[in-house]
Amino acid sequence: DQRMPRDNAVPQHLLPFQPFPILLSFRHDRILSVPSSVTRWARFRSQTADARARDPYYTERTPRRQNRRGCYNGAMQAEVVAIGAELTSGYTVNTNAAYLASRLQDVGIPCLRHTAVPDERAMIIQTLRETLSRADLLLVTGGLGPTFDDVTMEAIAAATGRQLVFVESAARRIRVFYRAFHRRLNRQALRQAYLPEGGAALPNPVGTAPGLWLALGPGGQVLVALPGVPQEMRAIVEQSVLPRLRRLRGRTVLLSRTLRTAGLVELQIQA
């Protein structure tokens, strides 16, 4: 009996998406033993091939949901609006938008546009209305603090036609935060507990300003408001926003490939 050379490749249809070591025994070009994980993957691919061919937005093990434009899971689109005069003046680099776009990729949602506006109520309202006319998911950062120029919640309420209501659970967290650091509670700090009606407060584990999850209508459109402080924003995204998006979107990701070259210019690569 003569065995196949070692450099023979494993049949492509038996390879899983994530490579892992596979030990196969060959005899006259026939496979004698295959790990059970490989056979399960091959069976799964054969069962879902027809479904993927029929629907370009098919997602395995994820119920088909329609957004407000009638598109299925894979067509959800997001935009990021960053609020703050320090961003539009160039004094601060908008790292929040880059982080949010990267994390959205991990849950299968492409971010199509980044917008920065100063702390002006009228301009924020106009920007929010324009963005909500395009995007299925809008993430807003900045302007959630207790000072006079933090007007993001007021602008969101005006842009969506809602009233600001006092949320006791958010106020309770603010009181606990001040008590934990032995600080005297300023009544102005409770201004952060006013959220647009119908919105859910997202707890802030490292600060006082809560985030906001606001579902807009039955079409699946969502507005998320986050603090502008990077540490607070990232903590809320990781603990509250991403888990909600995963439940909404299912097991969907966006994959990208990086090609590294040396000694070539773009035109040579394109040719």
Side-chain angles (χ1 to χ4, degrees):
D1 295 338
Q2 202 172 20
R3 295 182 180 273
M4 294 178 60
R6 289 188 177 182
D7 58 347
N8 277 33
V10 178
Q12 186 66 28
H13 68 281
L14 293 179
L15 286 178
F17 181 76
Q18 295 291 340
F20 59 87
I22 303 175
L23 297 179
L24 300 178
S25 299
F26 290 92
R27 183 183 179 89
H28 294 298
D29 297 343
R30 297 182 62 183
I31 299 175
L32 298 182
S33 61
V34 180
S36 59
S37 59
V38 178
T39 58
R40 287 197 302 269
W41 173 259
R43 189 182 308 114
F44 174 73
R45 288 192 59 177
S46 63
Q47 291 173 352
T48 59
D50 293 340
R52 288 196 300 268
R54 290 193 302 269
D55 184 2
Y57 298 122
Y58 178 83
T59 305
E60 290 85 351
R61 303 180 184 179
T62 304
R64 288 161 58 89
R65 299 184 179 92
Q66 286 183 306
N67 60 19
R68 61 196 181 94
R69 295 186 180 88
C71 301
Y72 290 109
N73 294 332
M76 192 175 190
Q77 299 175 354
E79 293 191 25
V80 175
V81 173
I83 297 174
E86 68 278 7
L87 301 177
T88 57
S89 65
Y91 183 78
T92 302
V93 178
N94 188 8
T95 59
N96 287 350
Y99 167 80
L100 289 173
S102 174
R103 298 303 282 141
L104 287 174
Q105 291 268 358
D106 296 337
V107 293
I109 302 176
C111 183
L112 302 185
R113 186 175 303 191
H114 299 172
T115 306
V117 293
D119 302 289
E120 297 183 9
R121 188 174 182 273
M123 187 175 297
I124 296 173
I125 294 175
Q126 179 184 358
T127 302
L128 292 177
R129 287 174 176 170
E130 293 175 354
T131 306
L132 288 173
S133 67
R134 298 185 301 262
D136 304 302
L137 173 63
L138 171 58
L139 288 87
V140 182
T141 65
L144 302 187
T147 58
F148 69 93
D149 60 340
D150 293 314
V151 296
T152 298
M153 287 299 182
E154 299 176 9
I156 292 175
T160 58
R162 300 164 185 260
Q163 298 292 328
L164 288 176
V165 296
F166 185 77
V167 180
E168 180 59 36
S169 60
R172 190 182 309 115
R173 288 181 175 273
I174 296 174
R175 297 189 186 98
V176 170
F177 183 90
Y178 272 82
R179 193 178 303 119
F181 286 89
H182 306 284
R183 297 178 180 176
R184 182 179 179 182
L185 177 63
N186 191 324
R187 293 182 61 87
Q188 188 70 11
L190 295 178
R191 180 171 177 263
Q192 301 168 110
Y194 284 89
L195 304 179
E197 186 178 8
L202 302 179
N204 186 341
V206 294
T208 58
L212 170 70
W213 179 280
L214 182 60
L216 301 173
Q221 192 178 31
V222 177
L223 186 151
V224 179
L226 302 165
V229 180
Q231 295 87 341
E232 298 183 24
M233 182 272 299
R234 297 189 180 199
I236 296 177
V237 168
E238 297 296 334
Q239 295 187 13
S240 300
V241 178
L242 290 181
R244 287 172 178 257
L245 290 177
R246 289 191 182 100
R247 290 194 296 268
L248 180 67
R249 295 278 298 147
R251 299 178 59 181
T252 305
V253 295
L254 293 179
L255 301 178
S256 62
R257 176 178 296 178
T258 301
L259 301 178
R260 301 184 184 276
T261 63
L264 298 174
V265 298
E266 290 179 305
L267 290 177
Q268 290 176 310
I269 300 173
Q270 179 179 338

